[in-house]
Amino acid sequence: MATNLHTIAVIGSGTMGAGIAEVAASHGHPVLVYDIDAAAISRAVDGIRQRLTSRVSRGKLSADAAEQILSRLTPVTTINALAKADLVIEAASERLEVKKALFSQLAEVCPPQTLLASNTSSISVTAIAAEISHPERVAGLHFFNPAPVMKLVEVVSGLATSSEVADALCELALSWGKQPVRCQSTPGFIVNRVARPFYSEAWRALEEQVATPEAIDAALRDGGGFPMGPLELTDLIGQDVNFAVTCSVFNAFWQERRFLPSLMQQELVLAGRLGKKSGQGVYRWQEEKPAVSWLDPVSDSFSPMRVQRRSDGVTEIDELLLIETQGETAQALALRHGCPVVVVDRIERDVAVIAAAPGNPRSATQKAIYWLQHQEKRVLQIADYPGLLVWRTVAMIANEALDALQKGVASEQDIDTAMRLGVNYPCGPIAWGERLGWQRLLTLLENLQRHYGEERYRPCSLLRQRALLESSYES
């Protein structure tokens, strides 16, 4: 069926619509660019022309090829003109009532064989298609911004979507040099669902005054291997956009607590502090970002120290225990062991994020810092916080990915592919959880749930099953 998708129509001439139109035209398709505002179409085409000109100047594209791409774009301002399209991709306002009205019009204008797709990032494809004729031809085709650059496309099936339509859209995406992943129409699909903890755990840490924004971002970026810190990323996305997606997923899941929006983020949105586009969000974008407060080198007055690494992962440094976090506070561990305790976050690179029990003698905590620095780690100290930053974030992401897998949203491979390509995670969350250990993640989430007394940290059933299987293999 994909070979029959010759003429492509794109509804909406904003950033996403223009990007999708550019992708289709770049791969030889005649493209109808529809918008009720002719001036908006002109601006979109001008933007495409500028991007193509830039590629020509960098030797990435010939001038003749650029002109051919532009020649394939046809502006249209009447929806009846879309009747000759083989595929219509809607990239209009992210509101259900707007999309339903458009698709009702399209169903009347376009013949039954025309495929109808929405670029929605979180709205139900089932709901969009519910009241039109031939709903089997309706699917989600979710590109990521910027569409000409990002490889991932989520192909979303509603309840009525035929498998042939989903197959055709996957084939088309592949022919455009994209990587399609299949998923069912559930709130947030794959990426916007599984990525929620990356943002929400950062907001929670900021609300609980665990560390400064720049320290939280550094821990996840430099210590966790994420390409960007979550707070800085929300500033780039736009606080209003990120908050709206969180609210949409939260409400669509009947206000499930693990998707709870942040009051602090809401305050930024209400204040108009939307991030980079407004000049201020979490950060002031006209100024240099605050420097991260890495700890100064500790003098070698503690040398020599008695250091013993135990088989349970605990390091004894004289009277101090240095313990990789499993979701308990350093204070709780110090009371249990009857000695000073410093907990350390997951160390993936040259960064060690630590928290010390408040009752520690200063000299004991300094020994842990000294030892870590002599392992060539930059050390960042935060407040005593269960699960710290990297471990609890990765545990929550992996837990959400397994929940999506168990409920048939997508395959394990597609979930991991989506998170690597859609948001550039260093590893697919399910593969990551396998590497880190399901039992370890389960223990950490159970400890967080016990500490907070909240459903937010409830491990999903599949995580418990995998942890059980892991334990049986080890035994």
Side-chain angles (χ1 to χ4, degrees):
M1 187 185 290
T3 56
N4 299 325
L5 301 179
H6 178 61
T7 300
I8 309 295
V10 178
I11 296 178
S13 54
T15 301
M16 288 307 301
I20 295 167
E22 180 182 336
V23 171
S26 296
H27 287 84
H29 296 269
V31 180
L32 306 174
V33 184
Y34 168 79
D35 200 297
I36 56 173
D37 182 358
I41 301 177
S42 295
R43 289 193 295 272
V45 173
D46 285 343
I48 294 171
R49 181 180 289 106
Q50 289 173 17
R51 288 193 294 275
L52 295 176
T53 300
S54 174
R55 291 178 62 194
V56 170
S57 67
R58 289 181 285 120
K60 302 292 185 181
L61 186 71
S62 70
D64 182 58
E67 285 304 314
Q68 288 183 35
I69 292 169
L70 290 168
S71 71
R72 297 185 190 112
L73 301 173
T74 302
V76 295
T77 54
T78 59
I79 201 162
N80 289 340
L82 306 185
K84 58 185 178 183
D86 301 303
L87 166 65
V88 180
I89 305 173
E90 170 271 321
S93 173
E94 193 72 348
R95 288 156 47 204
L96 177 59
E97 64 274 15
V98 172
K99 295 184 186 297
K100 290 186 73 169
L102 273 171
F103 276 74
S104 292
Q105 289 180 279
L106 290 169
E108 294 176 4
V109 167
C110 299
Q113 66 269 24
T114 302
L115 303 193
L116 307 178
S118 175
N119 183 57
T120 180
S121 60
S122 61
I123 293 175
S124 167
V125 173
T126 298
I128 293 171
E131 298 172 11
I132 72 169
S133 58
H134 302 289
E136 70 280 356
R137 59 176 166 164
V138 178
L141 195 62
H142 180 212
F143 291 79
F144 287 74
N145 191 28
V149 176
M150 298 293 284
K151 288 186 68 67
L152 185 71
V153 176
E154 290 179 319
V155 177
V156 187
S157 293
L159 281 179
T161 307
S162 76
S163 58
E164 292 80 8
V165 167
D167 288 345
L169 293 175
C170 285
E171 289 174 25
L172 182 68
L174 283 169
S175 75
W176 289 356
K178 303 299 182 183
Q179 176 60 61
V181 292
R182 295 170 182 260
C183 60
Q184 299 302 310
S185 181
T186 57
F189 310 141
I190 301 173
V191 173
N192 277 322
R193 173 182 179 168
V194 178
R196 300 293 15 113
F198 182 63
Y199 309 112
S200 62
E201 288 306 304
W203 286 113
R204 180 158 216 169
L206 195 60
E207 288 170 346
E208 294 189 14
Q209 304 181 68
V210 170
T212 61
E214 59 273 15
I216 294 169
D217 279 344
L220 273 297
R221 182 186 62 242
D222 300 340
F226 292 94
M228 185 177 291
L231 299 173
E232 183 178 18
L233 182 54
T234 59
D235 262 1
L236 287 177
I237 293 169
Q239 296 299 340
D240 51 341
V241 174
N242 185 261
F243 183 68
V245 172
T246 300
C247 289
S248 173
V249 173
F250 175 64
N251 289 318
F253 273 100
W254 307 112
Q255 302 188 343
E256 173 74 45
R257 299 297 290 181
R258 69 181 188 273
F259 300 115
L260 184 68
S262 162
L263 289 174
M264 182 173 283
Q265 188 176 30
Q266 178 179 252
E267 284 291 286
L268 289 178
V269 173
L270 293 174
R273 298 182 180 184
L274 307 182
K276 187 175 183 179
K277 63 186 176 184
S278 70
Q280 184 176 358
V282 175
Y283 299 101
R284 293 180 180 272
W285 285 83
Q286 304 94 332
E287 304 171 3
E288 289 287 326
K289 289 189 179 63
V292 179
S293 298
W294 304 106
L295 294 181
D296 292 331
V298 174
S299 69
D300 60 359
S301 58
F302 297 116
S303 186
M305 298 186 300
R306 181 184 61 82
V307 179
Q308 180 181 352
R309 295 192 182 189
R310 299 184 343 201
S311 59
D312 59 0
V314 176
T315 300
E316 296 180 11
I317 305 174
D318 290 340
E319 76 283 11
L320 170 92
L321 297 182
L322 181 65
I323 303 174
E324 190 174 24
T325 183
Q326 292 199 31
E328 297 180 275
T329 63
Q331 186 62 49
L333 292 166
L335 291 172
R336 184 184 311 153
H337 292 288
C339 65
V341 168
V342 169
V343 289
V344 63
D345 211 339
R346 177 74 190 171
I347 298 176
E348 294 267 4
R349 300 184 177 185
D350 66 340
V351 171
V353 179
I354 65 168
N360 282 3
R362 184 175 183 277
S363 60
T365 301
Q366 290 291 97
K367 287 179 182 179
I369 297 167
Y370 172 82
W371 185 80
L372 287 166
Q373 288 175 339
H374 278 71
Q375 308 304 305
E376 299 186 344
K377 307 297 180 188
R378 291 177 293 160
V379 181
L380 182 64
Q381 185 169 356
I382 65 173
D384 191 12
Y385 189 56
L388 297 179
L389 296 170
V390 175
W391 257 115
R392 70 188 277 163
T393 299
V394 173
M396 287 289 281
I397 291 170
N399 188 53
E400 194 59 46
L402 285 183
D403 190 63
L405 174 63
Q406 185 170 29
K407 291 173 178 167
V409 173
S411 69
E412 183 169 328
Q413 179 179 349
D414 278 353
I415 290 170
D416 275 357
T417 298
M419 301 314 292
R420 285 189 297 102
L421 298 183
V423 278
N424 295 317
Y425 283 2
C427 189
I430 300 178
W432 209 350
E434 189 79 39
R435 177 162 61 87
L436 296 178
W438 296 119
Q439 184 57 57
R440 175 62 181 265
L441 296 181
L442 175 61
T443 299
L444 190 140
L445 290 175
E446 286 179 331
N447 284 333
L448 288 175
Q449 188 179 19
R450 191 175 302 112
H451 177 87
Y452 285 103
E454 292 182 27
E455 282 291 293
R456 176 184 179 119
Y457 298 102
R458 173 177 52 81
C460 76
S461 172
L462 186 54
L463 174 56
R464 294 187 183 280
Q465 292 175 38
R466 293 206 171 188
L468 187 62
L469 285 172
E470 184 181 74
S471 298
S472 67
Y473 291 150
E474 290 173 355
S475 62

